[in-house]
Amino acid sequence: MRLLIDWAALQPQAGTAAAMAATVDGCARASAPCGAYAGVQSQLAAIASQQRAHPGDFRVVVDILGTPAWAAQPPSGCAPPATPATAWAPRAQALAAYRALIASLLALARSERVSLEWWSPWNEPNNPAFLSPQRGACAAAAPSLAPALYAQLARALAAELASVPGRHRILLGELQDVPADSPASTSVASFVAALPADVLCLAGAWSIHDYALQRRRADAGPDAVGTLERALDARGGCAASAPIWVTEAGAGAPHPGRPRPPGAGDELAGCLALALELRRWYADPRVGAVFQYSFREDPAYPVGLLSADLARVYPAYRLWLQYARARAAGHAPPPPALGCT
């Protein structure tokens, strides 16, 4: 599972410790039912219970996002008007606080007896909604600033993980599927091409977000996994033949993030599109893991397996269940139509 660590929410004030046990309401963005819990501490306790029940078979990717206002650079360069305050890249002077956040997570994991093997420096660093500015000037041909900003975070993460005992590995990327450069975002190929060589060599694997719902659109771009594979191979060295994880996948509306159209027909169409994606990834020896985002529907990005009110189960849930059963039995995955019905 991905453990999303919202730095801005955990540490809104400079000089205070990250609030790892702060109460979370447990709603789906204000949608009931709700079940409050003690934030990251409760999440780690739940993870610990699964790791005890399934030794070696319940792994976690820690994925950091969200710059606190006190740690952020001032707005600059080219960014969309609606860029959230948490998207501005951390100042160089705030990297020590970023490392301290990682250290506090590691300490809490030790106290909860949780194995946190995989770590990702930042979520969707080629997307201006998560890391800004992407460019100094509003032109697609302007050099991207994002790879250098991301490199600072990746190096800081690697340094902190190296300072503590235990097995820790870095998952680079968490890239949004951006097929072509634009004034405000960086394509997958350009992002990989501009990363410093030493950062490329930090990766235990690479990750990308690829939603099956995009494949249903007439204007869908090229396959995101294939694009990342070609970009890594073009860099050569540490990047060549690197394993790929799809850390966000799912089926929803024909356009990403839009409300689901009514009717069971569209739900089934989305499931079939996801099933075709899963079959293709299953056949790709470089794809080592695929993550469904999310289980309970996120109203802001509706591609879940259960509706936000937990009243409806979408066909994609049956698809993932069939995959889990096939894996447990050592069988090949089900045909797309069978998995969704």
Side-chain angles (χ1 to χ4, degrees):
M1 66 167 284
R2 292 167 81 215
L3 179 62
L4 299 179
I5 299 297
D6 187 343
W7 184 16
L10 293 174
Q11 198 175 17
Q13 301 296 326
T16 62
M20 297 295 180
T23 300
V24 176
D25 62 16
C27 307
R29 297 187 191 264
S31 297
C34 307
Y37 61 95
V40 176
Q41 183 173 332
S42 286
Q43 289 177 297
L44 290 180
I47 291 167
S49 72
Q50 291 300 304
Q51 290 184 340
R52 288 192 298 269
H54 309 282
D57 199 36
F58 194 92
R59 300 182 182 182
V60 179
V61 176
V62 178
D63 191 358
I64 304 172
L65 70 156
T67 310
W70 55 267
Q73 299 180 9
S76 64
C78 183
T83 299
T86 56
W88 296 105
R91 295 178 287 108
Q93 299 93 321
L95 292 177
Y98 172 81
R99 287 188 59 169
L101 174 74
I102 296 163
S104 65
L105 283 165
L106 288 164
L108 183 58
R110 287 192 295 271
S111 68
E112 295 289 344
R113 299 184 180 180
V114 172
S115 171
L116 297 180
E117 180 180 353
W118 287 94
W119 295 72
S120 186
W122 206 256
N123 185 60
E124 293 197 353
N126 61 333
N127 177 354
F130 289 96
L131 189 65
S132 285
Q134 290 281 309
R135 302 182 191 279
C138 288
S144 176
L145 306 175
L149 295 171
Y150 182 75
Q152 291 182 327
L153 294 164
R155 291 173 180 138
L157 172 63
E160 189 59 39
L161 295 178
S163 71
V164 298
R167 178 176 172 82
H168 303 111
R169 306 179 72 185
I170 292 179
L171 182 69
L172 285 185
E174 291 287 4
L175 296 168
Q176 185 188 35
D177 177 13
V178 179
D181 288 305
S182 72
S185 61
T186 306
S187 69
V188 170
S190 293
F191 188 90
V192 173
L195 270 183
D198 67 296
V199 175
L200 292 173
C201 293
L202 296 176
W206 282 79
S207 57
I208 192 155
H209 303 165
D210 191 7
Y211 288 94
L213 49 89
Q214 296 183 11
R215 304 280 80 80
R216 297 159 57 203
R217 293 161 46 206
D219 61 341
D223 166 48
V225 169
T227 297
L228 178 57
E229 289 176 344
R230 289 187 291 274
L232 292 171
D233 290 346
R235 286 299 306 268
C238 295
S241 302
I244 308 293
W245 293 7
V246 182
T247 46
E248 287 188 18
H255 192 284
R258 299 284 177 83
R260 291 178 181 268
D266 192 82
E267 294 173 8
L268 179 59
C271 180
L272 291 172
L274 177 60
L276 291 173
E277 292 276 70
L278 290 174
R279 292 284 292 193
R280 181 166 50 80
W281 294 328
Y282 179 82
D284 185 340
R286 288 178 71 169
V287 177
V290 179
F291 293 58
Q292 161 67 30
Y293 177 89
S294 56
F295 186 80
R296 182 184 184 179
E297 189 99 294
D298 178 356
Y301 210 93
V303 295
L305 303 182
L306 277 66
S307 59
D309 62 4
L310 305 182
R312 182 168 181 79
V313 179
Y314 297 117
Y317 172 78
R318 295 190 290 272
L319 174 65
W320 285 107
L321 188 61
Q322 292 282 354
Y323 261 80
R325 289 172 173 168
R327 178 183 179 185
H331 297 158
L338 178 61
C340 293
T341 56

